[in-house]
Amino acid sequence: MIDAPTVNDVATMTDDPFGPEVLEDPLPFHQRLREAGPVVFLSRYRIYGMGRYAEVLEALRNWQGFESGAGVGLSNFRTEKPWRPPSLLLEADPPRHDAPRRVLAALLSPRRLRGLRAAWRQAAEELVDRVLAAGPEFDAVPALAEAFPLRVFPDAVGLGEEGREHLLPYGNFLFNTFGPGNHLVTDAQAEAPAHASWVNGQCRREVLREGGFGAQIWAAADRGELTPEQAPLVVRSLLSAGVDTTVHGLAAVLHALATHPDQWRRLRDEPLLARVAFDEAVRWGAPVQTFFRTATTDVRIGDTVIGDGEKILMFLGSANRDPRRWPEPDRFDLSRDPSGHVGFGFGIHQCVGQHVARLEAESLLHALAARVRTIEPAAPGRRQHNNTLSGWATLPVRVTC
Amino acid sequence: MLKIVIDRDKCTGLGMCEAESPGLFEVADNGSLVILADHPSDEQRAEAEAACESCPTEALSLVAE
């Protein structure tokens, strides 16, 4: 938070980027944000914001100038105490960030995940068969977007069966806390400690099933790649960042396909497009909308100087639809090459679990494409408001087989 | 002839390159990136370019030798 913009000629916007209007539909705000300039001053929170692709990419790339260690939310850890012990990955900088990151990257690498492919394909087929057997109309959020990650991911981590219902509300609360203390945070404040305490309890070595991601993180600590103090926090990163994000990513691709029948037909004809479809949906829908950085020194962007210790909000969803980078950015189009989108971030903090998310999406989309001829909205979906995530609470769909 | 060059100070072992081109790149169990073939064949050229392009820390490049 700052008293006044360091440079006077930066455009000022009074909108609340965490208010209900923007969370319901961020696109009109994003457009004004991009047009206002490469950097704007968001007077409500006295922070800087950027919505154009080039500047967002540069800020993500410049971890030396824009740190994560002071928090990737509105709260500045230089002056405010974090509500939980900070993440060793998301809320850390090199060199401390690197060992935990390396352990997770190796564990979640494409080669290591190949061992899960057959089982996840089968799980997706069983789930889709069960959903379709119940009738042609269903809510795709609980039936598919939530059910599939919850079916495969906790097992892969090696969690016990008890208490898994804490996972989604924990993640939802965590991603809300990156924004201001609005009603999205305060409404859930009373129940949050119970979710956090369950999640922390699952990070202990003795409760994690042998062979799962969690046990392998502890094995990395045995090999000296992590300290025993770091291991539970690295497990926590999996449980924090690996569930809600994927649910919203799957909801984004299901929503996109249900509302673009021509693109659904393409996917049915060419199931190998499942990967492109998911990445294009992550570009187009941007399940993770925003993250903050903090300037480590005075950093110049265009004509604006972001002063040491000042917060800057990167609008990933806006960058993903910047017409300066993307031709016809609002089109969901499987013939596009979506690579380069910042929906998973960029630079040293780019989503370490993205191969997991892609495998989940690919498994589910393959199972659907092999069984479902048409998918369309049965009623308008309802948005789920979150200070960081863009998602759907409901997506009623009708299918034919 | 093209050669794949890696800047190990920048590589974080995320494996975007491996996802693009499992024949040329592999993240080892210890998290370090192994380049399976320094010189991509003509058939591998497009995927080698995609792999270098996909690196979020810009650790990979293709240079003419």
Side-chain angles (χ1 to χ4, degrees), chain A residues 191-364:
Chain A
E191 60 177 51
H195 302 313
S197 143
W198 181 84
V199 164
N200 292 336
Q202 304 316 300
C203 301
R204 290 171 299 140
R205 164 173 234 153
E206 56 272 24
V207 300
L208 289 160
R209 192 179 43 78
E210 205 176 322
F213 295 146
Q216 293 180 63
I217 289 168
W218 278 100
D222 290 341
R223 292 192 300 271
E225 295 166 26
L226 294 172
T227 67
E229 293 73 32
Q230 287 174 318
L233 284 169
V234 176
V235 179
R236 193 192 67 177
S237 286
L238 276 183
L239 303 182
S240 307
V243 190
D244 293 63
T245 49
T246 318
V247 166
H248 290 310
L250 293 177
V253 74
L254 292 169
H255 169 249
L257 290 166
T259 52
H260 294 76
D262 52 333
Q263 302 303 307
W264 174 253
R265 275 194 299 278
R266 282 191 75 155
L267 178 64
R268 264 182 60 88
D269 292 344
E270 254 181 285
L272 285 177
L273 284 174
R275 284 200 159 221
V276 173
F278 183 59
D279 266 281
E280 172 67 348
V282 172
R283 179 194 73 81
W284 188 75
V288 177
Q289 286 278 304
T290 46
F291 270 129
F292 287 83
R293 293 286 188 266
T294 309
T296 57
T297 175
D298 291 357
V299 184
R300 175 174 289 278
I301 303 171
D303 296 330
T304 309
V305 173
I306 314 295
D308 181 12
E310 291 175 354
K311 284 268 173 181
I312 184 148
L313 181 53
M314 307 175 297
F315 289 86
L316 309 175
S318 171
N320 280 351
R321 292 201 188 213
D322 183 357
R324 294 161 191 80
R325 167 63 176 80
W326 308 97
E328 294 190 75
D330 295 331
R331 271 174 63 100
F332 173 76
D333 183 357
L334 300 195
S335 60
R336 182 197 302 279
D337 176 6
S339 57
H341 73 74
V342 291
F344 287 118
F346 190 76
I348 63 166
H349 293 285
Q350 195 186 53
C351 176
V352 73
Q354 60 185 294
H355 302 300
V356 181
R358 286 203 185 86
L359 182 58
E360 289 182 41
E362 209 180 1
S363 305
L364 186 62

Side-chain angles (χ1 to χ4, degrees), chain A residues 166-189:
Chain A
H166 288 288
L167 284 168
L168 284 177
Y170 175 75
N172 194 49
F173 181 74
L174 170 65
F175 283 100
N176 272 324
T177 62
F178 296 126
N182 57 15
H183 80 93
L184 293 169
V185 174
T186 55
D187 289 355
Q189 201 111 49

Side-chain angles (χ1 to χ4, degrees), chain A residues 61 101-102 105-106 109-112 114 223 225 275 346-348 350-352 354-355 358, chain B residues 8 11-16 18-19 22 26-32 54-58:
Chain A
R61 181 188 272 142
R101 168 84 189 191
R102 196 162 282 275
S109 78
R111 183 173 55 85
R112 298 285 282 276
R114 251 171 256 157
R223 292 192 300 271
E225 295 166 26
R275 284 200 159 221
F346 190 76
I348 63 166
Q350 195 186 53
C351 176
V352 73
Q354 60 185 294
H355 302 300
R358 286 203 185 86
Chain B
R8 295 213 172 263
C11 176
T12 63
L14 177 59
M16 295 302 293
E18 183 180 334
E26 186 173 289
V27 178
D29 285 344
N30 68 2
S32 66
S54 72
C55 178
T57 51
E58 297 154 302

Side-chain angles (χ1 to χ4, degrees), chain A residues 353-390:
Chain A
Q354 60 185 294
H355 302 300
V356 181
R358 286 203 185 86
L359 182 58
E360 289 182 41
E362 209 180 1
S363 305
L364 186 62
L365 291 178
H366 275 242
L368 279 169
R371 288 161 177 76
V372 171
R373 194 190 316 274
T374 63
I375 178 166
E376 57 179 11
R382 186 163 52 81
R383 306 277 296 165
Q384 178 169 333
H385 291 190
N386 181 286
N387 285 333
T388 303
L389 304 174
S390 169

